[in-house]
Every structure is written in C-alpha cells, then in structure tokens.
Amino acid sequence: MQRADARPRLLQAAVDAFRQPDIRQKLLFVFGLLVVFRFMAHVPLPDVDRAALDRVFEENAVLGFFNIFSGGALRNLSVASLGVYPYITASIVMQLLTPLVPRLQALSREGEHGRRQIQIYTHWLTVPIAAVQGYGQLVVLSQTGGGAISGIGLLDHPMATVAAVASMVAGTMFLVWLGELITEKGIGNGVSIIIFGGIVAGLPSLVGQGVYSGAGILGILFLVALVLALIFAIVFFQEAQRRIPVQYSRSMFRGGRMYRQSGQSHIPLRVNSAGMIPLIFAYSIVLFPSYAASYFATAETGWLQRGAEAARGLFSPENPVYWALVFVLVVFFTFFYTVVVFQQQNLAENLQKQGGFIPGIRPGRPTNEYITRVLMRITLAGALFLGLVAIVPYLATGLTDVQALQISSTGLLIVVGVVLDTMRQLEAQLLMRNYEGFIR
C-alpha cells in the first residue's frame, strides 16, 4: 500500500539528488555561474540611450530573435549582448565543413584528440563571427530608433567602435567559457543551459505583457493551453525514435578452438534528430533581409529607402509570407541537416566493421540504403512537426486576441530539450547511487 504522504516521484528524485553532496555541489555550481551570467546581462556598453533602445525593440521585431540567444542581454545592450549565438553559428559551420574538408574529416576520426582540435578551431572561428555580428548590431542600433547608442563608426569614431566590439566579443567568449565550465564541473550541456537561463529569465516580462495587453481572459487561457499542448508535443517528438534491430556475430579463439558469439541490439533513429538547428537556419535566412533593410532605412537615396521599407514590410512577422517561408525553410533544413549528420556517422561502415548486420539486409551499401530510406520516412514527420512549431506564434495570434508573436517556438524547444537532457544526466547520477531516476 502506498503511503498517504508519499511525494510525487519527480519531486522525490529531485530531493534525493540534492541530498547527495557531490550532486548538490554540481547543482549549486551551475546556479552560481547562471547568477554570474545574469549580472553580465545588466552591464551596459558606454553611451547607451535606454529610452531609444526600448523604442527600437518596440518597432523592430527582428531583434527579438537575437535577444533569445543573448538571454535578454541585447535588450540592455550589455557586454553579453551577442550571447553564445556566434559560438552556435561557428559550431554549425564546423559541423557542416567536417565532411567537406579532408583535414577536418580526418580529425573527426581520431577520437578525443580530434574532437578537441575541432573544438579549438570552433573557438577561433567564433571570434571573427562575433566581431562581424557585433559591429552590425551596433551600426543598426546607432542608426535606428533615434540612436540607441552613440559614437559608433569605424571612420568617425574608430577607437570607441573597436572598444565596443571588443567588449561584446569578450562577453561572448566569457559566456562560452562559463558554458564549458558547466559542462565539465556541473550537470548538463553548459552552452544550452546558458541559453536556457536567459529564456527563463525573460518569461516574467512576456507573461506581464500578455496580461496587460488588454486581451480577453479566454484568449489568454487558450494561449496557455496551446503552450502546454506544444510542450507535450515537443517532448513526444523529441523522445520518439525508430529502433532498427541489429545482430552481431563474432568469432574468437579460446583453448585452440574457434567459437562464434552472437548478440542482438538496435540502432535508434530519432524522429527529430536535427533538434533546433533547422529553426536557427530558417530564422537566420528569413530575418536577414529585414535586418539588412534596417541599415538602409535611413538612407538619403529615395529608391533605396523605399526598397528597404518594402523589404521590412515583406519580411515582417506580421506578414503571412514571412511565416510561409519559415515553414518551407524549416522543412528543407531538417532534411538537409539530418542527411549531413547521417553521412558523418557512417553507420553502415561502422556496423560492418563491428561484425553487425540488419536481419534480411546485406552488409555494406544495401544496409546504408535501407537505413537512409527509414531515416527519410521518419524525418518527414519530424520536419513537418518542426515547421508547425515554427509557425505556432502566427497561428496563435490569429486564433486569439493575444499578440503571441513574441512567443518563441525556438526558445520553447530549447527549454524542453535542456530540461530533458539535464533530467537524463541527473538520472545517470542517481542510478550510480541506486536511486530511481526521472524517466522510466
């Protein structure tokens, strides 16, 4: 019989995890670094006009996407305004270049040493990406909204501009260092937890904007129900996988005689193996025209200014064309990224080297073709789901009176993914100490 005062399994497991001194130390270490990150998010750059900066964010919805990855620091134009987004971009670029560059492909096969070297290259690539992105953001903010920051321009104010860009690059690299410390000495993926902390920190303001937007109570309740249903769907698709059965047959000598051993296993193919990467690709492409148009919106040439205004209107989140393009790009990049990652894994080749085979399928090329066919079928469901997740803010705005365009489906996907990953790592820590985990 279950005790009447028994606590929920999740809460009990969390309490058991916090009672362990080493796990408690790791959790407190993660919380401490998140506090440092939040302090950095409120250290502004020099010569920032807060009133003009608020007007820029009210008039330009494009900056809201970049504000997600900065953890709200871009809204304050702090030294951490870029967040870890340049590092994410560099990681994606390196992942795409690995199968194309022979040197990187050779490093990826050298085990831990090769991965560390690729990680070093990723850090080097992050610096120029952060510098270019930081300078672009400063120029746009200095020329729009009445000038959110002054003294920006390589020709007119070279020293001030270099100092501001260097501060933003240093802030990004410091956040990357914090993330790696969390990964090494804490629990969970550090960079993802940094993004997670920023998104969660911005939730109170989003809730406040929804409450005071003047929308009806039914609209707000419907929006809350929609978000809960979306969280359930994200968890379902994140955990869904197709298991391909595999048999292993090995020969070994013992006592001068040959014995054959056989075993069974499976290859787990996830329905959504691309994660949030297709959303980042799609939003980056769709947001770029509007972001570039903001630079030319104040041009003195008439046709250039009119063209910039037309581009901003066409690629505005209020325009259905914007969301239709987002849906198509998300579906395309889901297939593209899945194929790239699958080719890097060389599943058929590695399976043949280990003496494994899929029952009824010949080893080698037939195995690779079979796995590819299965992967494409299940990826179709994952791609359509990610496309639907991407346009949920637009659909929610059309179904309710609440302006839900500020709700980031990408941010929600990150939050759910980080929570699931952290729960798995906590489960592993608890299982080593004979505790029950979170996930059955």
Side-chain angles (χ1 to χ4, degrees), residues 321-403:
V321 177
Y322 171 93
W323 295 102
L325 187 58
V326 167
F327 180 85
V328 173
L329 289 177
V330 167
V331 173
F332 170 76
F333 282 120
T334 300
F335 281 98
F336 173 77
Y337 188 78
T338 301
V339 170
V340 170
V341 173
F342 173 72
Q343 291 179 351
Q344 293 181 14
Q345 293 175 347
N346 296 322
L347 291 179
E349 180 181 350
N350 294 332
L351 194 64
Q352 188 175 10
K353 290 180 179 179
Q354 296 173 4
F357 63 94
I358 300 175
I361 307 296
R362 297 180 56 134
R365 184 175 178 180
T367 298
N368 184 72
E369 294 176 350
Y370 173 77
I371 297 177
T372 302
R373 287 197 304 270
V374 174
L375 186 64
M376 290 299 100
R377 287 201 300 266
I378 64 176
T379 301
L380 177 61
L384 295 177
F385 169 73
L386 285 180
L388 182 62
V389 168
I391 63 175
V392 158
Y394 177 74
L395 298 178
T397 303
L399 295 175
T400 66
D401 296 331
V402 182
Q403 292 297 319

Side-chain angles (χ1 to χ4, degrees), residues 42-275:
H42 292 83
V43 179
L45 294 172
D47 301 325
V48 175
D49 187 345
R50 293 302 303 271
L53 186 62
D54 292 337
R55 289 195 300 270
V56 171
F57 275 87
E58 292 176 359
E59 299 172 357
N60 194 340
V62 175
L63 297 176
F65 175 78
F66 298 103
N67 191 50
I68 295 173
F69 295 95
S70 68
L74 181 58
R75 183 101 187 182
N76 301 321
L77 199 55
S78 72
V79 294
S81 296
L82 299 177
V84 293
Y85 184 69
Y87 175 76
I88 295 175
T89 304
S91 300
I92 295 173
V93 171
M94 291 299 298
Q95 197 166 17
L96 295 177
L97 288 179
T98 297
L100 302 177
V101 180
R103 171 60 177 168
L104 296 177
Q105 191 172 9
L107 286 175
S108 65
R109 298 177 179 176
E110 292 182 5
E112 185 64 24
H113 172 73
R115 286 191 294 268
R116 288 181 180 178
Q117 191 63 38
I118 293 178
Q119 187 73 4
I120 293 176
Y121 292 157
T122 305
H123 289 165
W124 290 350
L125 184 60
T126 302
V127 175
I129 292 178
V132 172
Q133 183 179 341
Y135 179 73
Q137 288 185 0
L138 290 176
V139 170
V140 170
L141 292 175
S142 64
Q143 295 182 357
T144 58
I149 182 172
S150 59
I152 297 300
L154 289 176
L155 298 179
D156 300 331
H157 309 279
M159 295 303 297
T161 303
V162 171
V165 172
S167 299
M168 298 175 73
V169 173
T172 294
M173 300 310 296
F174 183 75
L175 291 183
V176 172
W177 179 65
L178 290 182
E180 293 182 347
L181 283 180
I182 292 176
T183 303
E184 180 182 356
K185 299 182 180 181
I187 293 179
N189 183 280
V191 174
S192 299
I193 289 179
I194 292 291
I195 302 175
F196 169 83
I199 296 173
V200 172
L203 287 180
S205 62
L206 290 178
V207 174
Q209 292 174 9
V211 172
Y212 293 104
S213 62
I217 186 66
L218 292 179
I220 295 177
L221 291 178
F222 179 81
L223 185 61
V224 171
L226 183 63
V227 171
L228 294 178
L230 185 59
I231 292 176
F232 174 81
I234 290 176
V235 174
F236 179 80
F237 275 87
Q238 286 288 92
E239 297 299 308
Q241 59 181 232
R242 166 73 182 275
R243 296 186 175 184
I244 299 179
V246 176
Q247 291 185 356
Y248 290 93
S249 179
R250 299 175 180 174
S251 301
M252 60 180 301
F253 288 93
R254 181 179 298 173
R257 302 181 61 181
M258 178 180 291
Y259 296 89
R260 296 187 64 87
Q261 293 182 340
S262 62
Q264 295 183 352
S265 182
H266 64 271
I267 300 176
L269 298 179
R270 290 189 173 275
V271 174
N272 180 23
S273 59

